Amino acid sequence: MRLGGRLAAAIEVLEDIGRRHRPAADALRDWGLSHRFAGGGDRAAIGNIVYDALRRRRSAGWLLGDDTPRATGFGALLLEWGQTAQSLNAALEGDKFAPSLLSDAELETIAARRLADAPGEVRADCPDWSVPLLETAFGEAWVEEGAALAARPPLDLRVNTLKAERAKVLAELAETGAEPAHLATEGIRIAPIAGDGRHPNVQAEPAFQKGWFEVQDEGSQIAAELTDAKPGMQVLDYCAGAGGKSLALSAAMENKGQIFAHDAEKQRLAPIFDRIRRSDNRNVQVVAREQELAPLTGHMDIVLIDAPCTGSGTWRRRPDAKWRLTRRQLDARKAEQSAILDTAKAFVKPGGLLVYVTCSVFPEENDEQVTNFLGRDNTFAPIDHTVLWQSRFPGHAASARIAVGGGISLSPALSGTDGFYFCALRKAG
């Protein structure tokens, strides 16, 4: 397929997403199933246009003066693919599968507009209702951070130190352009793709099948490192999901001690079993039923809560979720987080840690949630997060925001990671 056919297909997928209010991955999968003639390169390029259009929906639409799938599809190519209005029309001309060329009115609008002159919410590519939240989180840098949340993401990997060293994995993945991560001790990063490119299928690599590494955002790896789990500890991963942090903690603990991986939604735990087998993690015990946690009450050195949240810190990877999210959903997540904190605290032993983590950048889910919890239970108190950060990541003081009396925040513009929040609370002992 030429660019015109790919753009037309992307517009079709964007229309499907908007009409049926469905995740982008589902819409792209269904398009591929009904257009089996499209090769892997075509599907990757179409997916890139769709995700670029979703990440940059406001700025792409603003450039063309409209917010239709056509406008955002064209705008994505102008913003992310190095195209100009003239080069794009030239590329589409004569292609019978292409959408209609940019009209004279559209060309005039594009020529008259500079993104630098756009309102802040357009440059930040964020919903209007989230602007006050981003301003509270980032202050004067909110537009820059919003724009970073709308950029293409890298592909991050975590070396499984139970089976390999980082140098060994880097050598194995040399052809992918893999480099050591900036912060995470065992992290590896493959840079964001450009244009119609696609990330390598690292899960097809023999090194992955051997369990030498896992796919995990660097911010998630950092959160696991900050937990500071040691060999021999008893740890409850209360919202374990697919088990990424459980596996990271297991490696940090050198397979010694015990990790109990639990999630209230049992289906989310399904991938953890294959991951445990592949990675040789022998101290992870999956506990699916809430009642089976009762014997752990008051005995855990660390209780990790990777709380259900809005996922606003992952918008560059899941941009469709950004436009589906509402204030009402944020309030629902906050209620869940509060209830989970009040339940999970019972498992922490005297002197142990309750660790609260989200992949959100919204203060209401982060520092404010912790402050409210401490107002309900004065047996917990924050540790010194400045000391913790400096001990784990010396020389990188500028790579995180540390709230006075609060936790640690990571973000794409500041840290180069997804948006994450980490706060460790010590139980009086």
Side-chain angles (χ1 to χ4, degrees), residues 159-169 186 207 211-213:
V159 175
N160 176 20
T161 52
L162 298 173
K163 303 190 79 170
E165 296 179 348
R166 184 157 67 171
K168 182 178 181 179
V169 178
E186 302 300 338
W212 290 4
F213 66 86

Side-chain angles (χ1 to χ4, degrees), residues 318-337:
R318 300 177 60 242
D320 48 331
K322 171 167 58 173
W323 307 110
R324 293 196 305 270
L325 185 63
T326 65
R327 176 74 224 193
R328 183 175 179 178
Q329 290 171 322
L330 169 59
D331 290 338
R333 296 290 85 75
K334 287 166 58 181
E336 289 180 48
Q337 293 156 7

Side-chain angles (χ1 to χ4, degrees), residues 129-149:
W129 71 269
S130 69
V131 169
L133 301 174
L134 294 175
E135 288 178 324
T136 301
F138 300 118
E140 293 182 355
W142 75 272
V143 172
E144 177 190 1
E145 288 285 2
L149 283 166

